[in-house]
Amino acid sequence: MSAPKTYLNAVSAVPGATPVHVAVIMDGNGRWARARNFPVMAGHRAGAEAVRRCVRGAINHGVRYLTLYAFSSENWRRTPQEVGDLTTLLRFYLRHKVAELHREGVRLVVIGDVGRFESSLRDEISRAEKLTARNTRLTMVLALSYGARADITRAARLMAEAAIRGDLDITQANENDLARFLQTHQFPDPDLVVRTSGERRLSNFLLWESAYAELAFLDVLWPDFNEEHFAALMADFERRERRFGGRVEHRTVAP
Ligand code: IPE
Ligand code: IPE
Ligand code: MG
C-alpha cells in the first residue's frame, strides 16, 4: 500500500514554491566600513558589489521581481557629505553597471520620490529604465528616495483627485482602488522581505505591499551578502507555510 497523501485545503498555500518577488532592505554598509576603519563610502561601494551577487542569486533561482531598498526618504537626514557620496555612487552604478544588467536580461525600474535628486541622476535613471525596458528575465526595482508612507499618502491624494474629477465613486472605494495609485502597482506583492545587518524593523519599506510577506532577518552586513545567503533564504522560504488568514488543514486521506 502506498503512503497516505497529505494535502492542504487552503487555496493560497503553496508550500515548496520559489518566491516570485523578493524585496531586500540592504542594511549594514556603515557598520561594515566602521569595523575596518574605512570611510562610510567604502561600505556603500562594497554594498554595490553585493547587489551584483544578489541579482545573480535571484536569476539563478528563477525569482521574477527583486526590489532593493537603496535610499529611503529618511536617508536625506544623513550628512550632506554622505548623501552626496551616495548619489555619486548611484550615478556611477547606473552609468557603468547597467550595461551588464541589460546583458543579463534584467529590466530596471526605479520607485521613490526621484524628483528630489539632481537632474543628472534623474537623467541616468531614465536612460537605464529605457535601455532595459524590454527585458523579461528579472525585474529589478530600485527604491530610491522611497518611503512607504509617502507613497501611500501620494496614492490617497491621487485617488481623491480621481474622485473630484468624477472618475471614481469615493463612497465605494476599496483596497484595489487605492493600490492602483501606488508606485508598486505594476508588480506583485513581495512574497519575501529580507533585511540584513541584524536589525529587525521595516524602516518604512513596502508597508502596504508586505501585508502578507514572509520576513527574514539575517545577521550579515550587506557588503558580505553572497549567493550562498540567497540560496539559504530560498531554502528557508520553501519550508514556510503561508496562510493569508485562511485555515490550512493538514488532512490525511486514504490513497
Ligand atoms: C544601508 O547601510 C545603506 C543605506 C541606508 C543607504 P547603512 O549606511 O544604513 O549601514 P549602517 O546601518 O550604518 O551599518
Ligand atoms: C533602511 O536602512 C534604508 C535602506 C537600507 C536604504 P536605515 O539604516 O536607513 O534604517 P534605520 O534608520 O536603521 O531604521
Ligand atoms: Mg542602516
Side-chain angles (χ1 to χ4, degrees):
M1 207 175 86
S2 56
K5 286 181 194 152
T6 301
Y7 69 87
L8 301 172
N9 81 342
V11 259
S12 44
V14 188
T18 299
V20 173
H21 184 173
V22 176
V24 186
I25 303 171
M26 309 184 290
D27 197 17
N29 295 352
R31 276 162 282 175
W32 185 93
R34 216 165 29 249
R36 289 162 179 75
N37 271 324
F38 290 166
V40 169
M41 184 58 181
H44 292 316
R45 232 181 275 122
E49 286 302 308
V51 168
R52 298 172 79 186
R53 298 190 289 273
C54 187
V55 168
R56 192 107 289 289
I59 289 174
N60 288 343
H61 286 86
V63 168
R64 304 307 302 272
Y65 296 85
L66 177 69
T67 297
L68 300 175
Y69 202 11
F71 191 91
S72 76
S73 46
E74 288 72 32
N75 287 149
W76 289 106
R77 294 177 188 153
R78 297 193 179 186
T79 62
Q81 166 87 43
E82 187 173 354
V83 171
D85 284 351
L86 271 167
T87 51
T88 301
L89 181 66
L90 279 167
R91 206 182 301 109
F92 178 86
Y93 187 88
L94 290 168
R95 193 171 302 160
H96 299 286
K97 304 289 174 183
V98 166
E100 186 184 324
L101 291 177
H102 186 44
R103 272 199 302 280
E104 298 272 5
V106 179
R107 172 171 71 124
L108 182 84
V109 182
V110 173
I111 57 167
D113 185 7
V114 292
R116 291 183 72 177
F117 291 117
E118 57 208 49
S119 65
S120 59
L121 179 53
R122 292 203 306 269
D123 291 346
E124 289 298 341
I125 291 170
S126 308
R127 201 185 60 82
E129 286 182 326
K130 280 200 194 92
L131 175 73
T132 61
R134 289 170 182 276
N135 295 339
T136 54
R137 200 173 184 193
L138 171 75
T139 296
M140 174 174 150
V141 184
L142 206 51
L144 297 179
S145 188
Y146 172 84
R149 286 184 170 184
D151 199 31
I152 295 166
T153 305
R154 176 180 163 278
R157 199 164 49 234
L158 292 172
M159 188 169 74
E161 284 169 10
I164 290 165
R165 281 198 310 274
D167 293 342
L168 176 91
D169 177 359
I170 199 77
T171 64
Q172 301 297 315
N174 60 30
E175 290 178 10
N176 289 334
D177 291 320
L178 183 77
R180 72 189 168 90
F181 291 110
L182 293 171
Q183 286 190 293
T184 51
H185 77 279
Q186 48 187 319
F187 320 119
D189 283 345
D191 301 292
L192 176 66
V193 173
V194 180
R195 183 171 190 146
T196 57
S197 90
E199 307 293 357
R200 282 154 171 76
R201 55 177 173 262
L202 293 175
S203 302
N204 203 12
F205 186 49
L206 301 179
L207 299 182
W208 174 286
E209 298 82 352
S210 298
Y212 270 100
E214 296 295 319
L215 305 179
F217 299 101
L218 296 188
D219 290 327
V220 173
L221 300 173
W222 177 250
D224 291 327
F225 185 86
N226 61 33
E227 286 181 50
E228 284 83 69
H229 296 121
F230 200 96
L233 285 166
M234 296 301 100
D236 172 43
F237 181 85
E238 274 183 20
R239 288 191 293 271
R240 305 222 186 168
E241 183 182 273
R242 304 181 76 189
R243 303 200 191 107
F244 301 94
R247 183 172 307 288
V248 179
E249 284 178 29
H250 294 271
R251 273 201 238 147
T252 301
V253 291

